[in-house]
Amino acid sequence: AQGTRGDSRGHTIAPRSRELVSYPKLKLKIMIRDKLVRDGIHLSKPPYSRKVPMAGILEYLMNWPKSSQNR
């Protein structure tokens, strides 16, 4: 059986309330962490993080044009 808004899992989806809900900080952090895990999102990896390996930075600096260093 479908819910009120076509939910195929059989759950009824209640209309959104305009009332604000407040969560304790720790509970909110846990909820966000769990959602990221469920969705397979890793914030420390691209495209969310632009961390460049140290070897890449050193190579870039070693190849930096000498003329631009003297400005």
Side-chain angles (χ1 to χ4, degrees):
Q2 289 189 339
T4 58
R5 293 195 183 171
D7 188 317
S8 62
R9 296 174 302 221
H11 299 144
T12 302
I13 300 172
R16 290 188 179 193
S17 172
R18 295 198 184 266
E19 221 173 288
L20 293 177
V21 178
S22 179
Y23 292 101
K25 192 174 185 178
L26 181 59
K27 170 80 172 168
L28 187 59
K29 283 182 179 183
I30 292 169
M31 290 169 60
I32 292 170
R33 183 201 62 204
D34 291 348
K35 175 69 172 151
L36 291 170
V37 168
R38 277 194 312 272
D39 292 350
I41 296 172
H42 302 278
L43 295 178
S44 61
K45 296 181 180 177
Y48 309 104
S49 175
R50 294 181 183 233
K51 289 184 181 178
V52 179
M54 187 54 91
I57 294 172
L58 292 175
E59 181 181 350
Y60 177 78
L61 291 174
M62 296 301 286
N63 294 322
W64 188 274
K66 299 289 183 196
S67 60
S68 63
Q69 289 179 350
N70 296 328
R71 288 184 194 182

